Amino acid sequence: MFPFSRRGKKLGRVKVQLSDSPQGGRSPIRHPKRANKSKGDNVTTVTVINGSDDNSHCSSTATGNSEGWRKISTSGDKPTPRFNHASVVIGKKMIVVGGESGKGLLEDVQVLNLENYSWTTASSRLYLSPSSLQLKIPACKGHCLVPWEKKVLLVGGRTSPPSDRVSVWAFDVGTESWSLVEAKGDIPIARSGHTIVRAGSKLILFGGEDNKRRKLNDLHMFDLKSLTWLPLHCKGAGPSARCNHVATLYDDKLLLVFGGTSKSKSLNDLFSLDFETMMWSRIKIHGFHPSPRAGCCGVLCGTKWYIAGGGSRKKRHAEILIYDILKLEWSVVHTSSQHSITTNKGFSLVLSQKKDAEYLVAFGGLKKEPSDQVEILMLGKNESSTSRRITLTSKKCSSSTGPTSGPEKQSLASVMEHHGSGRKSLSESLLLDSNPGNVSLRKEHVDDDVALKLARNLEDERSSLPMEQTKKYPTTQESPSMVEPENTEKDEKQKNDDTVAFQETDGKSGSFPGSSSIYQSYEKKMSALICKKGILEGQLAAALAGREAAEKNISSVVKSRQEAEKRLNDTLKDMEMMKEKLVLVEMAQEEANSLSNVVHSDHVKLEHDVAFLKAVLDDTQKELQSTRGVLSGERARAFQLQVEVFHLKQRLQSMENRTPTPRKPFLG
């Protein structure tokens, strides 16, 4: 789908060519000819998140309805009122994930049945990541939801706790479980208010706002098969950095980006990216041009792009715009009242098909308080899906039963139109036809072997008769009296094609009875045999249908049993893991208790040691003080002794000066 040349890789430019593929999702990129599936795993609707777009393809060209938006009373476990959430349609269910409730971010998964408009809360069981770490989907807002097979992909958004890179989560609708997609390559930085469109197994991401409130205008591609991110480099002047814009992909070749908000103002410009040339271009609009807006929602329906809601900081817009991709013209199809949730901030919009009609389904949003209201707007009846389904079924039946005549085709088409809802099978409707003029297909076709044998007998008998008798007793093809008068021209034509009149001889060569009663009796016997054969075939068809139904029931029961066993095994594994974790927690608790006891005993010992050391310190201080007193007394005595010695020296000196007599040696 995206062939890359070596030269493009060397130059850092990627040439992308989007081919036709079945699409669905938040930006369903379905070719208009492939979007007539009333039942399918691929979704034809997408959601708008925090003002990002909800883009869908549908098969028929829908026009606005003068009835306007209608509020729907829902039942079941109603979700928490929210805004800046994301929603997507898979089958007959609308999946709503996350958002903001006014008190904080949400992480729940809500499911709305679009048949009876009843709410249920998904269990959201979590798988383990490849690194055996328990996964927990973060609370988020401003994210994108994209359908992929029987899963819903959650891409980006502002999460709690925040992340540095864009993360991709997968929600399995059947098992109601989340798993983290281990992406690789050049992963984009985390963002919210961006847009995602899907082309087959490729996701295209544009714009948004990072965690530092910086607006972005980069373009990235994510391959769902190789789980690899790759930046896309384009030529030409592309859109400016923005968030809360809308985007869609038309015919798998043309990416359209409208509106949004930049650093300081709301935008109303329209850009297109041709994936064959990888060239950005700004579309010049003639005539009516919409006012600037951000936070609007978009749905692609054929060649018309429906855009609802949005606005600027001062005003919210209530009109629904249509952009004709082929005519390059804008128009206003409907103006909502100010009480409609399409005038709210951060609502979501998806496309739903019910009873061959197409509806826009809006949910949530914020005006003064968060809302949990659901509103629908009828776009128009999807007549092409019914006619196409009838044509395909008639071709299938004609190929299985062989060539049929004109009246048979008309009868088949009428029966298919009458039983198009699938409440009765085609064989039952043909066999149980109460109108005697409408002969069933099984009754109209005569067994080829029996007819061929009777025709050979008739030709042998006719060849043995003289020419005069052959002319005297013509065949049923030459004599209109041999045909029953109540048959119409259609029955005559069918009888000429499927039955052969025959004659009976009396066993003698050259003799031929002259009464037409023999022919009539054989015709009655033949018609009785044909009727009996038709009844037996009808009984056989009914028996085969019953057998097929029984086999389907058995297979469904076996499948449900296998699923139940699988769920039971998963539950047992989870229980075993929880038991192991509980044992580990108990062991850790015991170790913590023993450590706390050791710490407590050490603390008590330390307190005793501290008290002892304090007492020793007090005693030492007292002894030190007493020693200081004794030392000071000794110093005073030493000073006195020095004074006395000094005085004695003076006295001796004075005595020596008075007595000149020699002193006697000191014998001390």
Side-chain angles (χ1 to χ4, degrees):
M1 172 170 289
F2 288 83
F4 305 111
S5 62
R6 296 182 180 177
R7 182 180 180 184
K9 290 184 178 180
K10 292 180 180 179
L11 296 177
R13 297 179 178 270
V14 180
K15 296 185 178 181
V16 183
Q17 182 177 1
L18 304 177
S19 62
D20 294 337
S21 60
Q23 301 302 331
R26 182 166 177 255
S27 297
I29 1 179
R30 225 177 241 203
H31 194 279
K33 296 182 180 179
R34 299 187 178 184
N36 283 332
K37 293 183 179 180
S38 59
K39 294 181 181 180
D41 297 333
N42 293 335
V43 186
T44 58
T45 58
V46 289
T47 64
V48 182
I49 303 134
N50 193 20
S52 46
D53 63 331
D54 175 351
N55 303 322
S56 299
H57 270 147
C58 59
S59 57
S60 62
T61 302
T63 57
N65 197 323
S66 60
E67 295 180 358
W69 290 97
R70 292 191 298 110
K71 291 185 178 181
I72 300 298
S73 60
T74 58
S75 59
D77 187 8
K78 292 187 178 180
T80 304
R82 66 192 65 205
F83 62 100
N84 292 340
H85 54 281
S87 58
V88 70
V89 172
I90 290 186
K92 297 298 181 182
K93 296 179 180 180
M94 181 176 74
I95 313 296
V96 179
V97 179
E100 195 172 1
S101 64
K103 298 180 181 179
L105 299 182
L106 301 172
E107 60 183 11
D108 57 342
V109 179
Q110 304 291 334
V111 180
L112 176 63
N113 190 328
L114 297 176
E115 293 288 338
N116 52 13
Y117 295 104
S118 62
W119 286 101
T120 55
T121 301
S123 60
S124 301
R125 189 166 59 87
L126 299 178
Y127 281 156
L128 293 178
S129 67
S131 57
S132 299
L133 297 177
Q134 183 71 26
L135 296 178
K136 182 180 180 182
I137 174 177
C140 53
K141 69 174 183 178
H143 48 284
C144 295
L145 289 185
V146 182
W148 170 244
E149 295 177 349
K150 293 185 179 181
K151 295 182 180 180
V152 176
L153 302 179
L154 189 154
V155 184
R158 184 161 297 166
T159 60
S160 177
S163 60
D164 297 332
R165 298 290 174 178
V166 171
S167 58
V168 181
W169 293 78
F171 178 73
D172 194 313
V173 180
T175 60
E176 295 185 351
S177 58
W178 285 100
S179 59
L180 179 64
V181 178
E182 298 290 338
K184 53 188 177 181
D186 191 359
I187 303 176
I189 61 174
R191 65 192 66 199
S192 62
H194 54 286
T195 54
I196 293 284
V197 296
R198 183 171 70 86
S201 61
K202 306 294 189 298
L203 299 182
I204 307 298
L205 180 148
F206 173 75
E209 182 182 58
D210 64 6
N211 295 332
K212 297 181 180 179
R213 302 285 184 179
R214 293 178 299 185
K215 305 300 185 293
L216 306 170
N217 64 343
D218 50 349
L219 191 68
H220 298 266
M221 182 188 72
F222 182 63
D223 191 343
L224 293 172
K225 294 182 179 179
S226 61
L227 305 181
T228 304
W229 282 102
L230 184 69
L232 300 180
H233 302 282
C234 307
K235 298 177 290 184
S240 59
R242 65 189 66 199
C243 67
N244 297 336
H245 53 282
V246 289
T248 189
L249 189 66
Y250 173 70
D251 200 20
D252 290 350
K253 297 178 182 178
L254 191 67
L255 175 66
L256 299 174
V257 177
F258 169 73
T261 178
S262 62
K263 294 182 179 180
S264 59
K265 63 178 181 179
S266 299
L267 305 171
N268 64 343
D269 49 1
L270 180 62
F271 285 85
S272 66
L273 173 63
D274 191 343
F275 281 105
E276 293 182 349
T277 60
M278 294 303 294
M279 174 73 74
W280 280 108
S281 61
R282 182 169 181 174
I283 300 178
K284 296 182 179 180
I285 305 299
H286 302 284
F288 171 75
H289 201 283
S291 56
R293 64 193 66 203
C296 46
C297 307
V299 174
L300 183 64
C301 190
T303 60
K304 290 181 172 56
W305 191 14
Y306 289 81
I307 297 177
S312 58
R313 296 179 180 178
K314 298 181 179 179
K315 181 181 178 182
R316 303 293 298 179
H317 300 289
E319 68 269 18
I320 297 180
L321 304 173
I322 290 183
Y323 176 68
D324 194 314
I325 299 177
L326 300 181
K327 297 180 181 179
L328 305 180
E329 293 179 354
W330 285 99
S331 61
V332 177
V333 66
H334 176 74
T335 302
S336 308
S337 65
Q338 292 297 327
H339 300 288
S340 174
I341 63 176
T342 56
T343 59
N344 293 353
K345 175 185 176 182
F347 71 99
S348 65
L349 187 71
V350 297
L351 182 68
S352 173
Q353 294 184 357
K354 185 177 181 182
K355 296 181 179 180
D356 296 332
E358 293 166 346
Y359 296 87
L360 294 180
V361 182
F363 169 69
L366 172 69
K367 187 167 290 183
K368 295 181 179 179
E369 296 291 336
S371 173
D372 61 351
Q373 185 64 43
V374 178
E375 293 183 0
I376 64 172
L377 175 67
M378 181 178 179
L379 296 181
K381 290 188 176 181
N382 190 4
E383 298 177 355
S384 61
S385 61
T386 306
S387 61
R388 185 180 180 185
R389 182 170 63 251
I390 292 174
T391 304
L392 292 176
T393 311
S394 62
K395 288 181 180 179
K396 183 177 179 181
C397 294
S398 63
S399 63
S400 61
T401 57
T404 58
S405 60
E408 291 171 351
K409 292 182 180 179
Q410 294 177 1
S411 176
L412 182 61
S414 64
V415 171
M416 291 174 62
E417 291 176 355
H418 182 67
H419 299 278
S421 60
R423 286 174 289 182
K424 290 185 179 181
S425 64
L426 182 61
S427 60
E428 291 175 349
S429 61
L430 290 174
L431 291 173
L432 297 179
D433 194 353
S434 59
N435 188 0
N438 295 333
V439 183
S440 67
L441 293 179
R442 296 185 182 275
K443 292 181 180 181
E444 289 173 352
H445 290 284
V446 185
D447 190 5
D448 296 337
D449 295 336
V450 177
L452 183 59
K453 184 177 181 181
L454 294 174
R456 287 178 179 176
N457 294 334
L458 179 61
E459 292 295 330
D460 293 337
E461 293 181 359
R462 290 188 60 188
S463 61
S464 63
L465 294 176
M467 184 63 66
E468 292 81 9
Q469 292 183 0
T470 306
K471 292 182 179 180
K472 183 179 180 180
Y473 302 101
T475 62
T476 55
Q477 294 179 355
E478 298 174 354
S479 176
S481 62
M482 293 296 101
V483 184
E484 295 180 0
E486 65 271 14
N487 291 338
T488 60
E489 294 179 0
K490 298 178 182 179
D491 297 331
E492 290 178 3
K493 184 176 180 181
Q494 294 171 2
K495 184 171 289 185
N496 290 333
D497 294 337
D498 299 334
T499 63
V500 180
F502 55 91
Q503 301 172 349
E504 183 181 16
T505 63
D506 56 356
K508 297 180 180 180
S509 177
S511 63
F512 193 84
S515 176
S516 63
S517 61
I518 299 175
Y519 302 102
Q520 294 178 359
S521 63
Y522 274 103
E523 288 179 357
K524 290 180 180 179
K525 290 181 180 179
M526 178 63 74
S527 61
L529 290 174
I530 293 173
C531 293
K532 187 174 181 180
K533 181 182 178 183
I535 294 172
L536 293 175
E537 289 181 350
Q539 294 176 355
L540 179 60
L544 292 175
R547 180 181 177 183
E548 292 178 356
E551 290 178 352
K552 289 181 180 179
N553 292 333
I554 292 173
S555 61
S556 62
V557 169
V558 171
K559 187 176 181 181
S560 60
R561 180 181 177 182
Q562 292 176 353
E563 292 178 354
E565 290 178 351
K566 185 177 179 181
R567 292 181 181 177
L568 181 60
N569 293 331
D570 293 339
T571 305
L572 292 175
K573 290 181 181 179
D574 294 338
M575 290 178 62
E576 291 178 357
M577 293 176 61
M578 293 298 293
K579 288 180 180 179
E580 293 177 356
K581 290 182 179 180
L582 183 60
V583 171
L584 294 175
V585 169
E586 291 177 352
M587 294 175 62
Q589 185 67 29
E590 291 178 357
E591 292 179 357
N593 292 334
S594 62
L595 289 175
S596 63
N597 293 332
V598 172
V599 170
H600 180 69
S601 61
D602 293 341
H603 182 68
V604 171
K605 291 180 181 180
L606 185 61
E607 287 180 351
H608 287 297
D609 294 340
V610 169
F612 176 74
L613 290 175
K614 284 183 178 180
V616 172
L617 181 62
D618 293 337
D619 295 339
T620 305
Q621 288 179 353
K622 290 179 181 180
E623 291 178 356
L624 181 61
Q625 290 178 357
S626 61
T627 303
R628 286 177 179 175
V630 172
L631 183 61
S632 61
E634 294 296 330
R635 287 179 179 176
R637 289 180 183 179
F639 182 72
Q640 290 178 359
L641 290 173
Q642 289 178 359
V643 170
E644 290 178 356
V645 169
F646 179 73
H647 288 298
L648 289 174
K649 285 181 178 182
Q650 286 182 349
R651 287 178 182 178
L652 288 173
Q653 195 174 18
S654 62
M655 290 175 67
E656 287 178 356
N657 294 330
R658 290 178 183 177
T659 57
T661 57
R663 291 185 298 178
K664 293 181 180 181
F666 182 73
L667 299 175

